[in-house]
Amino acid sequence: MSISHAQLFIKRAMAEADWVERINDAPDEPAVRAILAQEGYNFNADEFEEAYTHLLTQCQFEEQADWLNGVRMWWQFLGQTLLGL
C-alpha cells in the first residue's frame, strides 16, 4: 500500500507545482512529514524508489521520463538536506 502512496505522491508532484512549493517552503523535517501525513502519503525511501521505477517503465515519451526524473532528484535532494534520508 505504501508503494501506491509513493506513486500518488510522485504523480501529484509532477502535476502540481504549487504543492511542491508548499513542501519546499516547509521549515524543517517535522513540517514536511506533517504535510505528507496530512495528505495521506505514507512511504519510505525504498518504496519511493520502487514506485519511481514502476512509473518510469510506463513512460511513453522522453519528456515524461524527464519530468519523473526531476521529481526523483527533487525528492532525493529534499531527503538528504531536510529529512536525513
Side-chain angles (χ1 to χ4, degrees), residues 9-62:
F9 170 82
I10 291 168
K11 289 177 181 179
R12 186 170 182 187
M14 290 174 67
E16 296 182 33
D18 58 331
W19 188 72
V20 169
E21 201 59 40
R22 181 175 161 216
I23 293 172
N24 286 339
D25 290 342
D28 54 21
E29 175 191 0
V32 171
R33 293 198 186 276
I35 292 168
L36 296 180
Q38 181 180 38
E39 299 290 331
Y41 297 115
N42 181 23
F43 57 88
N44 62 33
D46 291 334
E47 292 162 339
F48 180 91
E49 285 301 313
E50 190 168 338
Y52 162 80
T53 300
H54 178 74
L55 291 172
L56 186 60
T57 63
Q58 295 178 341
C59 290
Q60 295 180 354
F61 303 102
E62 186 175 350

